[in-house]
Amino acid sequence: MTRELIALGVSHKTAPLALRERLALPEGRATAVLAELCAQDSVQEAVAISTCNRSEIYLVASDAVAAESAALTVLAREAGIRPTELTDWLYSFREGEAVRHLFGVAAGLDSMIVGEAEIQGQVKRAYELALVEGATGPITNRLFREALGAGKRVRTETAVGRSRLSVSSVAVELAADMLGDLSARRVLVIGAGENGELTAKALREKGVHTVFVANRHYDRAIGLAQRFGGTAVRFDDLPSELARADIVVSCTGSPHQIVDREELELVSSERDTRALVVIDIAVPRDVDPRVRDLPGITLYDMDDLQRAVAHRRSVREAEAARARTLVDEQVAGFDRWLASLDVVPTIAALRERGLAVVDAVLAENDSRWEGLSDADRERLRVMSTAIVNRLLHEPTVRLKGSAGEDSSYEYVQALRELFGLEIQGDGARRNDVPAGDSGSGAHRNDVPAALLPELPELPEAPALDGERSADVTQIDSRRRRHG
């Protein structure tokens, strides 16, 4: 069975925020997308990654064109646009390019802020979700575990991530650029998740003492406020807190806007001439972008932050070059493993045929050895098996050594023809865990709990049938535009 690895998606490099927020895949949407893709005959394995700066789908496909078309249709529907419109922003990679792209993503080399640490955990959680949903298989299991290992190695062996920059810390720096000393400023953080925590930490490092945390779940707001010496406020009190704040950083995971223009217009009238800096680092956006028109209010969103960090990127490029060398080494190792999958079924079938010959010859001559003891019969079997193993050793070594080379196909076909080998479906079941990994999971939710901790720390518009092949052709023509 042929298999091809595919990666397709959008990121801050290829698509504006307005589109990225429509393609955001929080856990509930990601689960539905994975289930829909895995129901396709052309898709064997699937993982979906969604962060504030990217939404990507990784597939192992028996029919790459059909699988890519299915993924394009699903993403276009999620975005509420036609597939032909989405192809203008989409990038697509296959095989080695897909591997290299994921390893770079996990290492933080493809991030808006090179080396940012949050992406490692986001990739890990995306993989865990797909694993638990039964959408992964031997290739994606190995791929994501090694990608996480590559990310950890880059952070351990290079300085690319040592400054601990994040989207949240850059947002705080942007506020400081606008307002100067922040120590006496009143700051409102909306959202008590991971980005809310990073924001609170960055504010404390800037000497901010007056931090108010608002969250729909008040107990989470209390927990975050206590850790950073702030004060929790109820979500219903948001309008009054907006009126008193100097800086607002919004970073919830809400699928809808939570601060609209009308609300801030009322707030603005209560503030006299006091300036308000609003930084929206949520995707989808928390704040209505029309608030930019209001007097006294300055709004920054993720696109603005991207421009703000452009000059910082050059500072890290030298170290990133070394990190990419490490990623290349990790990619080469994965490529060797992936190439070996083509020869492993033939090697197994060859050895199985040799052992079958041993069994057949011993059975045919059993009556001639009536006087042999059980111990002598076992010695005879061991010796016969050893002869077969030694005879097959050199062909096996040469076949393994040819993996990934042009000669590999010729060797495989020659052995299959000469020995009459029949390979029974060399594809593996979805969610099988490759050799060397602990646990197995052929069924959804049947994943050993011990497996996950072993990971590195860290509106519808379906495509018409006539459109699909053309859409995929357009994706193919744009593969190298990303980055």
Side-chain angles (χ1 to χ4, degrees), residues 166 193 210 293-294 377 382 385 429 435:
S166 66
T210 311
D293 302 333
L294 297 176
R377 289 175 184 274
V382 170
T385 301
R429 293 174 304 152

Side-chain angles (χ1 to χ4, degrees), residues 351-364 384 388 419:
R351 291 193 170 276
E352 187 176 337
R353 175 58 56 86
L355 295 177
V357 170
V358 169
D359 291 340
V361 171
L362 291 178
E364 290 169 3
S384 302
V388 168
F419 286 90

Side-chain angles (χ1 to χ4, degrees), residues 389-404:
N389 287 338
R390 291 197 180 187
L391 181 64
L392 297 182
H393 175 72
E394 191 63 27
T396 298
V397 170
R398 290 181 179 271
L399 190 57
K400 285 182 177 179
S402 73

Side-chain angles (χ1 to χ4, degrees), residues 123-387:
V123 171
K124 180 184 175 190
R125 288 190 292 275
Y127 167 58
E128 289 175 346
L129 175 64
L131 183 67
V132 171
E133 291 298 319
T136 66
I139 293 179
T140 46
N141 282 327
R142 181 74 174 245
L143 173 67
F144 274 81
R145 291 172 71 84
E146 294 208 8
L148 291 167
K152 183 177 181 181
R153 186 182 174 196
V154 164
R155 287 172 175 80
T156 301
E157 299 182 25
T158 75
V160 73
R162 288 180 189 165
S163 61
R164 306 298 293 176
L165 279 180
S166 66
V167 170
S168 298
S169 65
V170 171
V172 173
E173 290 285 348
L174 191 60
D177 291 343
M178 285 289 299
L179 300 175
D181 182 16
L182 301 182
S183 59
R185 298 290 183 174
R186 185 182 181 104
V187 182
L188 172 63
V189 178
I190 306 175
E194 181 180 5
N195 281 334
E197 182 170 347
L198 290 170
T199 301
K201 181 179 179 182
L203 288 168
R204 185 172 65 178
E205 291 171 353
K206 282 290 183 182
V208 176
H209 301 293
T210 311
V211 179
F212 294 82
V213 181
N215 195 69
R216 291 191 186 279
H217 298 288
Y218 185 57
D219 55 338
R220 294 184 62 180
I222 292 174
L224 180 59
Q226 288 176 341
R227 285 200 301 278
F228 293 97
T231 303
V233 297
R234 296 191 180 276
F235 215 72
D236 292 341
D237 297 331
L238 196 56
S240 60
E241 292 300 328
L242 287 170
R244 289 193 287 266
D246 297 307
I247 303 167
V248 176
V249 181
S250 192
C251 47
T252 77
S254 172
H256 309 293
Q257 292 175 356
I258 60 175
V259 179
D260 58 31
R261 188 182 188 281
E262 291 71 22
E263 183 175 21
L264 271 182
E265 190 170 18
L266 291 174
V267 167
S268 181
S269 65
E270 300 175 19
R271 297 177 58 86
D272 297 325
T273 59
R274 284 192 306 120
L276 174 62
V277 176
V278 180
I279 304 176
D280 184 358
I281 58 175
V283 179
R285 285 174 286 192
D286 284 340
V287 182
D288 187 338
R290 296 177 301 160
V291 305
R292 294 180 191 274
D293 302 333
L294 297 176
I297 296 179
T298 303
L299 172 65
Y300 294 99
D301 59 23
M302 289 298 293
D303 281 349
D304 298 312
L305 259 65
Q306 183 175 351
R307 289 186 285 270
V309 302
H311 70 283
R312 291 180 171 93
R313 189 178 184 94
S314 61
V315 177
R316 291 186 162 197
E317 279 303 322
E319 198 62 26
R322 179 166 178 255
R324 290 188 182 95
T325 300
L326 296 182
V327 167
D328 287 344
E329 293 175 9
Q330 298 289 117
V331 169
F334 181 83
D335 283 346
R336 287 192 295 271
W337 174 81
L338 192 62
S340 73
L341 295 184
D342 292 331
V343 303
V344 167
T346 299
I347 292 173
L350 182 61
R351 291 193 170 276
E352 187 176 337
R353 175 58 56 86
L355 295 177
V357 170
V358 169
D359 291 340
V361 171
L362 291 178
E364 290 169 3
N365 292 276
D366 187 62
S367 60
R368 300 182 183 182
W369 302 324
E370 294 180 354
L372 290 181
S373 66
D374 290 343
D376 288 335
R377 289 175 184 274
E378 183 59 28
R379 291 190 188 98
L380 186 60
R381 174 177 293 279
V382 170
M383 183 179 67
S384 302
T385 301
I387 292 172

Side-chain angles (χ1 to χ4, degrees), residues 19-45:
L19 177 60
R20 298 201 308 273
E21 66 183 356
R22 293 165 75 177
L23 284 170
L25 298 173
E27 185 171 322
R29 290 179 74 185
T31 298
V33 165
L34 291 174
E36 183 172 351
L37 289 173
C38 288
Q40 305 291 322
D41 291 338
S42 58
V43 176
Q44 296 173 297
E45 308 173 28

